[in-house]
């Protein structure tokens, strides 16, 4: 059974930091890209960051570039999202998702939700001003 479990969300003041974790099981971790998405109240889901070890690709949205860092621990089958210098506009539910890269021809991890095969349940992040 495939599982993705996010953790690390919470309440933080503007300028502060949080680290999200996405613990995975049920698939070969390095064959999949892991993406982080977020959805704020009343807004569409957006891609925040993704990483594919197989394709050697990393993506950050313009809104988080220079502040967030994605990293992975293959031994633990876990992906992390270190969020620094956080802003109130980072407030959202954050989801991690897994994209099968084995047969993907287009290089790079996906930035669209439909490209992903499995999703976690989400973790809530609130940044106070």
């Amino acid at each position: 059974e495939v599982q993705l479990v996010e953790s690390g969300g919470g309440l933080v003041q503007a300028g502060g930091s949080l680290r999200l974790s996405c613990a995975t099981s049920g698939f070969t971790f390095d064959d999949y890209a892991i993406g982080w998405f977020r959805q704020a109240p009343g807004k569409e889901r957006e891609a925040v960051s993704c990483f594919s070890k197989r394709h050697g690709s990393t993506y950050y949205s313009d809104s988080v570039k220079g502040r967030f860092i994605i990293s992975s621990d293959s031994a633990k089958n876990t992906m992390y999202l270190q969020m620094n210098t956080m802003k109130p506009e980072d407030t959202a539910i954050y989801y991690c998702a897994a994209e099968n890269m084995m047969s993907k021809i287009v290089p790079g991890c996906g930035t669209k939700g439909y490209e992903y095969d499995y999703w976690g349940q989400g973790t809530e992040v609130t940044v106070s001003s």
Side-chain angles (χ1 to χ4, degrees):
E1 180 188 5
V2 172
Q3 285 192 319
L4 293 88
V5 181
E6 302 95 337
S7 61
L11 174 65
V12 64
Q13 288 189 330
S17 298
L18 281 176
R19 188 177 80 155
L20 304 183
S21 300
C22 175
T24 74
S25 61
F27 61 90
T28 303
F29 184 73
D30 288 345
D31 288 341
Y32 280 71
I34 302 296
W36 286 98
F37 292 78
R38 67 186 182 188
Q39 187 164 21
K43 295 188 177 181
E44 292 188 355
R45 182 177 60 194
E46 63 170 338
V48 174
S49 181
C50 65
F51 173 72
S52 168
K53 184 175 182 178
R54 189 167 188 86
H55 283 210
S57 65
T58 306
Y59 164 83
Y60 295 100
S61 68
D62 288 342
S63 60
V64 307
K65 198 173 295 181
R67 300 189 297 121
F68 290 11
I69 302 171
I70 192 169
S71 63
S72 68
D73 186 336
S74 295
K76 295 182 178 180
N77 293 336
T78 299
M79 190 71 73
Y80 303 96
L81 185 68
Q82 178 67 42
M83 305 186 294
N84 302 317
T85 319
M86 296 187 73
K87 304 176 181 180
E89 50 264 43
D90 294 323
T91 295
I93 298 176
Y94 284 72
Y95 301 89
C96 66
E99 176 189 15
N100 192 335
M101 302 298 283
M102 289 288 287
S103 57
K104 188 173 184 181
I105 298 174
V106 176
C109 48
T111 59
K112 304 297 184 183
Y114 65 78
E115 298 180 271
Y116 286 78
D117 304 284
Y118 306 108
W119 290 80
Q121 83 290 348
T123 185
E124 188 169 4
V125 171
T126 303
V127 184
S128 63
S129 58

